[in-house]
Amino acid sequence: MKVKFWGVRGSLPTPITPEQVQAKIYAIIERITPKDIESEDAKTRFIETLPPWLFGTVGGNTPCLELTTDNGSKFLLDCGTGLRVYGVNGQHPADEHYHIFMSHFHWDHIQGLPFFGPIFNPKAKIDFYSTFPAAERVLSEQNRLPYLPPNCSWEKVKKGFTFHQINEIEPFYVEGVKVTCKKMKHPGNSYAYSFEENGKKFIYATDVELRACDCDRDRPENQFFDNADVLVLDSQYTGEEAIAKANWGHSIFCYAVDFANTWNAKHLYFFHHEPTYSDKKIYSILKAAKWYEDYSAKYDIDLHIAIEGEEIDI
């Protein structure tokens, strides 16, 4: 399996601002010495020494991941604004067949669907999976006046969709991949997904406020989380913010580390980044998480930030 991030922000799209671009430029200029620009090689070496929060950005689109199976099938996880970017720049299946798996239907997870090019392609086939009985009605409500023009209405695009209602903790198979979902704590409910193929396991757990019971290994349903090769997990808040926003449905980064440690995850990707956080702040959270992991984890977990455009081989 391969996973690629197309949208990693939570709550609402967060384009980088002119002030943030200028701050990056000033910070880079302050680091330059005459030796750093005396040759092309020197310039390259200088760029390579820049911290990642200066050389690039984590991105500002809301959640969407692309999972490519070993046989080349395309699974799309959530329909945030990153879905539009995938539609424009992603590698599409030759048979024009897409499988979309929805965690839930909050605005930041569906707002990219009306702008996803393949829904206007009469040859495209979209299998749509969720636990919510009203999935089609919910989507049809956003694809209508006054929110979109008539040519984007649900009646114009629904022909290519097939809706599948799935059940929590009941595995099913799609293109040879074992898929399971589990309800998490989040206002209005949100579902994590596990994908297993050829001995590899990937878990996508966005929009979750972790609780002590989620780390209870005596609960059979929690075995859903065990031994993931890659875990993408909501880690939106710092400690201070998590206290102020209890019951908002998102997690603190140190709880995410504890959770990954409990369930033996090999790689943990912090996801659903807080929209008010700059690139520098998000990378500072990763640094703090690594310090925390050094002192608290029973084994080494590889910690990462989810970054738009990054691809993972599992």
Side-chain angles (χ1 to χ4, degrees):
M1 290 184 288
K2 291 185 178 181
V3 171
K4 188 167 184 176
F5 296 104
W6 293 97
V8 299
R9 288 277 180 173
S11 304
L12 74 167
T14 312
I16 190 168
T17 67
E19 292 79 10
Q20 289 171 331
V21 173
Q22 291 165 11
K24 287 175 183 279
I25 293 171
Y26 288 137
I28 291 170
I29 290 173
E30 289 177 348
R31 287 167 163 77
I32 295 176
T33 68
K35 288 185 178 181
D36 294 324
I37 56 174
E38 62 186 10
S39 69
E40 290 302 316
D41 286 343
K43 294 175 185 176
T44 300
R45 287 193 299 270
F46 170 72
I47 290 172
E48 290 173 348
T49 66
L50 292 174
W53 64 269
L54 280 178
F55 189 61
T57 178
V58 300
N61 282 295
T62 59
C64 180
L65 276 65
E66 169 196 5
L67 188 156
T68 305
T69 70
D70 290 345
N71 69 6
S73 298
K74 292 294 183 182
F75 294 1
L76 298 169
L77 316 183
D78 279 335
C79 298
T81 57
L83 182 65
R84 185 202 69 83
V85 184
Y86 165 74
V88 174
N89 298 319
Q91 185 174 17
H92 295 264
D95 61 359
E96 300 179 277
H97 186 185
Y98 305 86
H99 301 274
I100 295 179
F101 299 83
M102 289 300 300
S103 64
H104 65 309
F105 289 83
H106 284 171
W107 182 239
D108 52 325
H109 292 257
I110 64 171
Q111 62 195 137
L113 187 62
F115 307 97
F116 180 44
I119 69 173
F120 301 101
N121 178 356
K123 296 181 180 179
K125 178 182 178 182
I126 300 172
D127 281 293
F128 197 94
Y129 305 84
S130 85
T131 64
F132 296 85
E136 182 172 6
R137 178 182 61 78
V138 171
L139 296 183
S140 70
E141 287 296 307
Q142 75 164 347
N143 278 60
R144 66 176 178 85
L145 290 170
Y147 311 116
L148 289 168
N151 61 315
C152 297
S153 72
W154 185 247
E155 293 299 318
K156 299 285 187 181
V157 301
K158 70 177 184 179
K159 184 178 179 180
F161 285 79
T162 301
F163 287 86
H164 306 269
Q165 186 179 346
I166 60 178
N167 298 313
E168 182 187 13
I169 308 297
E170 289 187 10
F172 60 101
Y173 287 83
V174 178
E175 304 289 356
V177 177
K178 181 181 177 182
V179 184
T180 315
C181 71
K182 186 181 186 305
K183 185 165 70 174
M184 310 302 294
K185 182 186 177 184
H186 188 72
N189 296 328
S190 180
Y191 288 80
Y193 281 87
S194 168
F195 300 89
E196 298 179 64
E197 182 184 36
N198 295 330
K200 298 294 184 179
K201 184 176 182 179
F202 169 68
I203 291 179
Y204 173 64
T206 185
D207 291 67
V208 51
E209 188 166 355
L210 292 171
R211 303 165 293 173
C213 63
D214 294 321
C215 291
D216 185 349
R217 296 189 65 86
D218 292 329
R219 291 192 173 199
E221 67 272 21
N222 283 349
Q223 297 305 312
F224 169 94
F225 298 110
D226 209 11
N227 295 315
D229 293 280
V230 173
L231 168 62
V232 173
L233 182 60
D234 182 329
S235 313
Q236 184 163 338
Y237 296 144
T238 61
E240 181 180 3
E241 193 158 28
I243 293 170
K245 296 181 178 180
N247 298 316
W248 283 35
H250 302 288
S251 293
I252 178 175
F253 70 87
C254 56
Y255 288 0
V257 172
D258 291 340
F259 181 81
N261 185 60
T262 297
W263 293 108
N264 306 308
K266 297 179 179 67
H267 295 268
L268 169 62
Y269 282 79
F270 297 137
F271 184 73
H272 206 268
H273 306 311
E274 165 63 33
T276 63
Y277 290 174
S278 67
D279 290 314
K280 186 176 182 180
K281 177 69 174 283
I282 293 170
Y283 276 100
S284 74
I285 289 173
L286 177 62
K287 187 175 182 179
K290 288 181 176 179
W291 288 340
Y292 179 79
E293 187 257 348
D294 284 343
Y295 287 100
S296 66
K298 65 185 179 183
Y299 70 97
D300 287 335
I301 309 166
D302 287 328
L303 304 180
H304 316 265
I305 289 171
I307 300 170
E308 282 186 30
E310 183 177 2
E311 189 172 66
I312 309 167
D313 280 303
I314 302 176

